[in-house]
């Protein structure tokens, strides 16, 4: 395969924001074990996760197509394939639509209509509600738009059970409530970037101090949501111990951000938020695989 073909393939892969996809799959994986009361067949699980990955890739690609002009104005995004001129916008649009169709067809073929419909809904919500409507207009974009980023557990639950039950909604809630403090931490130390692109974020609209208070409030609210799967009987003591510990750590770093009021503290909250989400879902998987 020639170097040019590999480079083009890499550019198209970059459109899907591949660094985000493993975390999407990671948040959907535990539901496969919870929803059915035991792990489904490997082939079924792999195809469902691939369908979820395609849905997320479609949403990310269509988001990149719509926001290409804004991305060109921001330091952290101006080197992406579309603002850098590495891929033509019509080609990116067709690629995003193809991924969406492929996701829908695969989820329908493997698990039926409910999962396919939830997958379609997640793409449409991310593109129309979040990217086109909320993000350029409201500081609440990260709150309401978080529903699209938390869709993987819902798709997985629908794929296994044909409906969305307690397992799917519980894990959805964790990602949904995690997203605002995660995004607002970025907005604090990337404020100039968002202002250059004309995207309203809390630090620019209501101020840094009010944003920090909201980071603390949402992180505190995330704690009971995070431990809820334990009290609902979905997981056991391994999960509870890890989730409560990293939840307190996340809250501590948020309070530290409120007190220190620095970009470094905001970057620390951002990094801890990633560790938190990874640790919570890893603990969930360990608890399901090694029940006590």
């Amino acid at each position: 395969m020639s170097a040019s073909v590999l480079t083009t393939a890499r550019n198209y892969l970059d459109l899907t924001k591949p660094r985000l996809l493993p975390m999407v799959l990671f948040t959907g994986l535990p539901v496969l074990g919870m929803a059915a009361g035991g792990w489904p067949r490997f082939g079924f699980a792999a195809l469902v996760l691939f369908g979820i990955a395609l849905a997320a890739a479609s949403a990310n690609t269509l988001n990149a197509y719509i926001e290409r002009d804004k991305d060109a104005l921001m330091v952290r995004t101006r080197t992406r394939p579309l603002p850098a001129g590495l891929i033509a916008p019509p080609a990116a649009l067709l690629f995003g639509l193809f991924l969406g169709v492929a996701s829908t067809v695969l989820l329908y073929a493997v698990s039926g209509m409910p999962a396919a419909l939830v997958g379609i809904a997640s793409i449409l919500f991310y593109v129309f509600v979040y990217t086109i409507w909320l993000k350029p207009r409201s500081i609440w974009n990260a709150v309401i738009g978080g529903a699209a980023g938390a869709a993987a557990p819902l798709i997985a639950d629908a794929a296994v059970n044909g409906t969305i039950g307690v397992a799917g909604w519980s894990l959805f809630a964790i990602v949904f409530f995690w997203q605002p403090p995660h995004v607002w931490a970025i907005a604090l130390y990337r404020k100039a970037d968002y202002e250059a692109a004309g995207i309203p974020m809390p630090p620019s609209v209501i101020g840094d101090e009010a944003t920090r208070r909201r980071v603390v409030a949402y992180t505190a609210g995330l704690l009971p949501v995070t431990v809820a799967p334990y009290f609902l009987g979905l997981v056991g003591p391994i999960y509870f111990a890890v989730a409560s510990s990293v939840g307190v750590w996340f809250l501590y770093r948020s309070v530290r951000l409120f007190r220190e009021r620095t970009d470094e503290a905001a970057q620390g909250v951002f990094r801890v938020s990633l560790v938190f989400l990874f640790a919570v879902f890893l603990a969930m998987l360990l608890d399901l695989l090694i029940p006590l």
Side-chain angles (χ1 to χ4, degrees), residues 12-270:
Y12 275 95
L13 178 63
D14 286 344
L15 278 178
T16 68
K17 302 177 185 177
R19 287 183 296 179
L20 301 179
L21 297 181
M23 191 62 79
V24 170
L25 296 178
F26 204 49
T27 61
L29 183 57
V31 181
L32 296 176
M34 292 178 186
W39 292 96
R41 291 179 293 104
F42 175 80
F44 172 83
L47 288 173
V48 168
L49 291 175
F50 187 47
I52 292 172
L54 288 174
S58 172
N60 290 339
T61 300
L62 295 172
N63 168 271
Y65 167 78
I66 294 165
E67 294 192 330
R68 61 192 185 279
D69 294 333
K70 286 184 172 64
D71 283 347
L73 301 173
M74 301 174 68
V75 173
R76 72 185 183 90
T77 57
R78 63 178 53 159
T79 59
R80 288 176 176 174
L82 283 168
L86 302 175
I87 294 177
L93 175 60
L94 288 174
F95 182 56
L97 294 173
F98 167 77
L99 291 172
V101 171
S103 168
T104 304
V105 171
L106 178 59
L107 288 171
Y108 177 76
V110 172
S111 56
M113 186 61 74
L117 289 176
V118 177
I120 293 173
S122 71
I123 296 171
L124 294 177
F125 189 94
Y126 191 76
V127 172
F128 291 99
V129 177
Y130 172 67
T131 304
I132 294 178
W133 177 46
L134 278 173
K135 193 171 182 181
R137 291 178 176 84
S138 173
I139 64 171
W140 295 102
N141 51 41
V143 178
I144 301 172
L154 303 183
I155 301 172
D157 203 354
V160 174
N161 286 332
T163 187
I164 302 171
V166 174
W169 286 117
S170 297
L171 273 63
F172 167 87
I174 293 172
V175 184
F176 180 81
F177 284 98
W178 164 85
Q179 190 144 304
H182 167 76
V183 172
W184 292 339
I186 302 173
L188 281 166
Y189 69 87
R190 291 283 191 180
K191 182 163 66 173
D193 246 7
Y194 286 106
E195 289 175 346
I199 299 173
M201 296 298 282
S204 302
V205 178
I206 62 174
D208 292 359
E209 196 73 2
T211 303
R212 294 187 190 101
R213 283 198 296 269
R214 293 188 182 196
V215 169
V216 174
Y218 268 79
T219 309
L222 180 61
L223 267 172
V225 174
T226 304
V227 298
Y230 171 76
F231 292 102
L232 291 170
L234 298 171
V235 285
I238 295 176
Y239 173 79
F240 180 78
V242 173
S244 56
S245 298
V246 294
V248 170
W249 182 38
F250 192 6
L251 179 58
Y252 162 74
R253 292 304 298 253
S254 298
V255 172
R256 182 171 162 181
L257 165 66
F258 182 76
R259 291 175 176 171
E260 294 183 2
R261 299 173 170 83
T262 63
D263 285 351
E264 290 74 18
Q267 290 169 3
V269 170
F270 166 71

Side-chain angles (χ1 to χ4, degrees), residues 23 26-27 30 238-239 242 275-289:
M23 191 62 79
F26 204 49
T27 61
I238 295 176
Y239 173 79
V242 173
V275 175
F276 165 87
L277 196 65
F278 176 79
V280 163
F281 281 87
L282 177 61
M284 211 172 284
L285 288 172
L286 290 175
D287 212 80
L288 291 168
L289 292 169

